[in-house]
Amino acid sequence: MTSILRWAGSKRRILPELRSIAPLDFGRYLEPFAGSAVLFFEILPARAVLGDLNPEIFATYSAIRDNPLDVLYYLSSIPQTSEAYYTLRAVDPSSLTRVQRAARLIYLMKSCFNGVYRTNRQGIFNVPLGSKFFLFQMKKICKQLPRLCKKLNLSAAILKKLLFMHRVVISFI
């Protein structure tokens, strides 16, 4: 399964290498800096914890888990035009429902320049439109993701808190 978000700095390019060194079996998958979570979507672990400081990411994953058809409906209703992009970019996400907020983030991240998530000091997303609109294969993803996300723990937390909350012990050498 592919990730629903396009994200600068994702692990998409090194997925083959990561896949080759990932254990075949483990108790729980932990990804503290999830972003687009491409490795998570590649290996599809039975139990997982995704963390990130960006609450927009988890509002999106939560909305897809809980209301996949509604997210798909709103996403498919957005025209793939420059005018629609800049209009939607200017909308304050806090004025939207969780489902609309998810559709907005997916649309912006799939359409913005290089998949960069950037906000100004006021917290307003300010990345210009990229050179092309990406095709949204959301119907397939929205059918698969809710089942997967039912077992997924989502946390907008810093790494130390995330490790503590899930009682993870890691040694760094």
Side-chain angles (χ1 to χ4, degrees):
M1 175 189 280
T2 60
S3 175
I4 58 168
L5 296 175
R6 181 171 173 244
W7 205 265
S10 81
K11 301 169 193 82
R12 186 177 316 275
R13 288 191 177 138
I14 60 169
L15 268 178
E17 292 86 6
L18 292 174
R19 184 75 165 128
S20 71
I21 62 172
L24 297 175
D25 188 36
F26 44 84
R28 178 179 37 206
Y29 175 84
L30 176 67
E31 190 165 343
F33 310 107
S36 63
V38 294
L39 184 58
F40 166 77
F41 287 109
E42 175 71 17
I43 62 177
L44 301 175
R47 290 181 56 212
V49 177
L50 298 182
D52 204 292
L53 286 176
N54 186 337
E56 291 293 317
I57 294 171
F58 295 101
T60 299
Y61 291 141
S62 297
I64 289 174
R65 178 189 61 206
D66 301 336
N67 307 97
L69 296 178
D70 293 340
V71 174
L72 181 61
Y73 169 78
Y74 280 107
L75 187 59
S76 62
S77 71
I78 304 169
Q80 292 192 356
T81 65
S82 176
E83 182 180 351
Y85 177 86
Y86 287 106
T87 299
L88 195 57
R89 188 183 82 164
V91 171
D92 177 4
S94 66
S95 70
L96 302 173
T97 67
R98 190 172 61 143
V99 167
Q100 292 168 331
R101 197 170 155 185
R104 176 186 180 268
L105 183 67
I106 294 166
Y107 179 85
L108 292 176
M109 295 310 298
K110 289 285 190 179
S111 307
C112 72
F113 178 75
N114 282 348
V116 173
Y117 184 89
R118 181 185 69 209
T119 58
N120 61 19
R121 288 183 185 193
Q122 291 77 37
I124 298 169
F125 183 81
N126 64 359
V127 180
L129 178 64
S131 60
K132 62 182 176 179
F133 287 95
F134 285 80
L135 296 176
F136 299 114
Q137 297 182 359
M138 289 302 296
K139 194 174 281 190
K140 176 183 171 189
I141 292 170
C142 281
K143 285 181 182 177
Q144 294 174 341
L145 192 61
R147 184 181 72 246
L148 180 62
C149 284
K150 292 292 183 202
K151 298 177 183 178
L152 179 62
N153 232 324
L154 300 170
S155 180
I158 60 172
L159 178 59
K160 185 176 179 179
K161 181 179 175 185
L162 188 67
L163 296 175
F164 177 76
M165 287 178 353
H166 296 282
R167 297 177 178 21
V168 177
V169 178
I170 295 178
S171 296
F172 291 96
I173 299 174

